Amino acid sequence: MSLRVAVADDAVLFREGLARLLADAGFAVTATVGTAGELLAHVGAERPDVAVVDIRMPPSHTTEGLEAARTLRSRYPEIGVLVLSAHVETAYALQMVESGATGAGYLLKERVTDVDELTAAVRRVAAGGLVVDPSVVAALVGRLRVQNPLDALSERERDVLTVMAEGRSNQAIGDRLYLSPKTVEAYVRAVFTKLGLHQAADDNRRVLAVLAFLRG
């Protein structure tokens, strides 16, 4: 059965184009709406698997979409929420993946042009996973303070951490960095050891631990 997705964005051409991409990729688009209120009403009535929402929505075009995403995650934790943004806004991204979060994501709108990345993100949040845009992760890693424990990481360990924090599996990290599975496992263990974080089988907790550390 196809995953059911609702799309909310006040720009008609963008939301209809996004809906078309999703439909062509095999998703069932349940609605395309232009306001946060319409999205909340639709999700309450139809219960799609995922809601894709722009971070800035009418009337003020500030954080209405983000607030709607929070409301959806609170009311319907079983529904995945993918927030789209035109710019890298690390504070909002971190709020979306706060401790204990599941089925949530933050993606730049420019990623929508990569259909494989978009569809993978939708499926990941639908399955209860986390999605963090690579640009956000890069901004967080680059915002290091003096005497930050991250300074203890080697350049390669930092590369692995960056990809890991996007929610990627060890296999995906290896594919991205051209490393063997055993080498990736060694780097991952080293990263967690140096950061004092406990490695867990659950990928969500792994990403949350990394992001929580970067947030601090």
Side-chain angles (χ1 to χ4, degrees):
M1 182 180 295
S2 300
L3 286 175
R4 303 171 68 246
V5 182
V7 176
D9 193 294
D10 65 307
V12 176
L13 289 179
F14 180 85
R15 73 170 180 261
E16 295 302 327
L18 177 57
R20 178 61 181 271
L21 285 175
L22 291 170
D24 288 348
F27 297 97
V29 178
T30 60
T32 57
V33 299
T35 68
E38 289 176 307
L39 175 65
L40 293 174
H42 172 75
V43 172
E46 298 298 329
R47 298 291 205 283
D49 299 299
V50 177
V52 180
V53 55
D54 184 12
I55 201 169
R56 300 185 184 280
M57 299 281 283
S60 70
H61 294 279
T62 54
T63 60
E64 282 87 351
L66 185 66
E67 294 301 325
R70 289 175 178 156
T71 298
L72 291 177
R73 291 179 58 221
S74 175
R75 291 180 184 173
Y76 317 107
E78 74 281 4
I79 295 176
V81 178
L82 181 62
V83 173
L84 300 181
S85 177
H87 309 286
V88 175
E89 298 173 283
T90 56
Y92 296 149
L94 287 169
Q95 289 175 37
M96 281 300 301
V97 292
E98 62 190 357
S99 182
T102 58
Y106 180 101
L107 207 62
L108 290 182
K109 284 189 171 182
E110 65 188 47
R111 306 288 173 192
V112 170
T113 59
D114 186 331
V115 177
D116 290 339
E117 187 163 0
L118 170 66
T119 56
V122 172
R123 291 191 176 95
R124 193 176 301 150
V125 297
L130 292 173
V131 174
V132 183
D133 194 278
S135 296
V136 174
V137 175
L140 289 169
V141 172
R143 197 181 61 190
L144 303 179
R145 296 186 299 277
V146 176
Q147 297 182 336
N148 192 302
L150 284 177
D151 293 337
L153 300 182
S154 69
E155 182 177 352
R156 204 52 166 164
E157 288 166 350
R158 193 169 297 175
D159 291 340
V160 169
L161 172 61
T162 299
V163 183
M164 184 198 309
E166 295 172 18
R168 306 298 181 180
S169 66
N170 283 2
Q171 180 64 51
I173 293 173
D175 292 343
R176 175 83 67 85
L177 301 178
Y178 304 103
L179 299 172
S180 70
K182 287 187 177 181
T183 301
V184 172
E185 290 175 9
Y187 277 127
V188 169
R189 285 196 300 271
V191 167
F192 277 93
T193 297
K194 290 182 178 182
L195 300 187
L197 300 171
H198 297 291
Q199 187 175 8
D202 183 87
D203 287 339
N204 293 341
R205 293 186 184 278
R206 185 167 81 163
V207 176
L208 286 168
V210 173
L211 291 177
F213 180 85
L214 293 173
R215 185 181 192 179

